[in-house]
Amino acid sequence: YYFPCQRWLAVEEDDGQIVRELVPVDEAFVKKDSENDGQSLATLGLEQKAKSTTYTVKVKTGDKKNAGTDANVFITLYGSKDDTGVVSLKASKINKNKFERGKVDEFTVESVDIGNLKKIKIGHDNKGNSTGWFLEWVEIDAPSLGQCLKFPCGRWLDKSEDDGAIERIIFPAELQTTEYIPFVPYEITVYTSDIFGAGTDADVFIVLYGSDGICTQQKSLCLNKREQRMYFERNSVNQFIVELEDVGDIIEKIRIGHKGGGLNSGWHLDRVAIRRLLPNGK
């Protein structure tokens, strides 16, 4: 079995996760890629990412005295097919100090397909100076499922409060579930020109337009500033797997650009290739 990764397991890199679930790829695919160098390993890593489901997890800490926690918080998502295993919520995309009183933190959780979400288990390890935590709610957005679910809690996870539990199993509130058309993964390959000063460190974004006026949201291709510095160099080819609204079989046009700022924001773009990935990986 061959399990490519080619991703960071680091709080300050990529999506902030320090544990990854990997699925095996076909041996023929590995042999085919081992004959090529350069992009081959990265392509295997992207193949993995395309098979994963990405969840956006928002966590609201209650607005009560001593509601915040310094402990290490973890979550497990349970679906109709499988579960994610224990995932540490290490890198909040919104706040440097996470789980503070009255604040909402946002995390990315990636896993193989676990089916429809049924429940979650969330808790902490009770380590640190201020460990008790009042959890208001958890919201989980699963674009590939076309669902955003709210898991209300409104209880302490504290050994000296409530029933003394520091982890809880929570079920979604059916009336607070939002459904929409599921997103699909697109493979986006960006070619930067081979002329002086062609590269950029700016935040590059893309919008896809289908027929009948359907379009996706505006999506940044890089997850953080470090990736912005790494990608879109002169004469480079960068590939991304991005989950976006399904615009159908025909892409009529795209809108691509950057948000300026930084020392080297000017960019000379050569071309963009886009492939809509279907469930069988085609």
Side-chain angles (χ1 to χ4, degrees), residues 46 49 59 76 123 166 188 214 217 228 233 235 250 268:
L46 286 167
K49 190 171 180 179
V59 180
T76 304
I166 57 171
I188 298 173
I214 300 169
Q217 61 182 284
Q228 289 173 32
E233 296 291 301
N235 196 30
I250 298 170
H268 199 286

Side-chain angles (χ1 to χ4, degrees), residues 59-71:
V59 180
K60 170 73 186 292
T61 299
D63 192 7
K64 289 175 176 282
K65 187 181 178 185
N66 300 323
T69 185
D70 295 331

Side-chain angles (χ1 to χ4, degrees), residues 263-274:
L263 296 173
N264 306 299
S265 62
W267 183 36
H268 199 286
L269 172 63
D270 183 56
R271 66 190 189 277
V272 180
I274 298 177

Side-chain angles (χ1 to χ4, degrees), residues 134-154:
F134 190 89
L135 172 61
E136 197 71 60
W137 48 257
V138 177
E139 183 183 274
I140 299 178
D141 191 9
S144 63
L145 300 175
Q147 279 192 331
C148 184
L149 299 97
K150 196 77 164 273
F151 295 80
C153 180

Side-chain angles (χ1 to χ4, degrees), residues 43 52 60 100-101 103 124-125 128 132 204 270:
T43 305
S52 298
K60 170 73 186 292
E100 295 289 305
R101 173 178 174 173
K103 301 281 187 178
H124 61 78
D125 62 2
V204 173
D270 183 56

Side-chain angles (χ1 to χ4, degrees), residues 17-91:
Q17 291 302 322
I18 56 172
V19 177
R20 297 208 178 279
E21 283 195 351
L22 304 177
V23 291
V25 297
D26 188 79
E27 187 182 10
F29 186 84
V30 178
K31 284 181 176 172
K32 179 191 77 177
D33 261 55
S34 62
E35 294 165 9
N36 310 318
D37 37 32
Q39 284 291 104
S40 58
L41 284 172
T43 305
L44 284 172
L46 286 167
E47 195 81 2
Q48 272 279 14
K49 190 171 180 179
K51 291 179 182 177
S52 298
T53 301
T54 304
Y55 302 92
T56 298
V57 178
K58 290 183 178 177
V59 180
K60 170 73 186 292
T61 299
D63 192 7
K64 289 175 176 282
K65 187 181 178 185
N66 300 323
T69 185
D70 295 331
N72 296 303
V73 174
F74 59 83
I75 192 170
T76 304
L77 279 54
Y78 295 88
S80 53
K81 299 179 185 173
D82 202 350
D83 65 71
T84 60
V86 177
V87 178
S88 295
L89 299 180
K90 291 276 190 185

Side-chain angles (χ1 to χ4, degrees), residues 88-147:
S88 295
L89 299 180
K90 291 276 190 185
S92 172
K93 294 188 174 300
I94 301 174
N95 306 304
K96 191 171 183 183
N97 290 331
K98 52 193 185 294
F99 310 122
E100 295 289 305
R101 173 178 174 173
K103 301 281 187 178
V104 176
D105 291 287
E106 185 180 310
F107 305 88
T108 300
V109 173
E110 216 176 74
S111 93
V112 295
D113 180 20
I114 62 171
N116 290 324
L117 272 173
K118 297 296 185 186
K119 63 182 180 181
I120 62 171
K121 181 164 72 176
I122 188 165
H124 61 78
D125 62 2
N126 208 42
K127 291 181 179 174
N129 296 325
S130 175
T131 58
W133 184 35
F134 190 89
L135 172 61
E136 197 71 60
W137 48 257
V138 177
E139 183 183 274
I140 299 178
D141 191 9
S144 63
L145 300 175
Q147 279 192 331

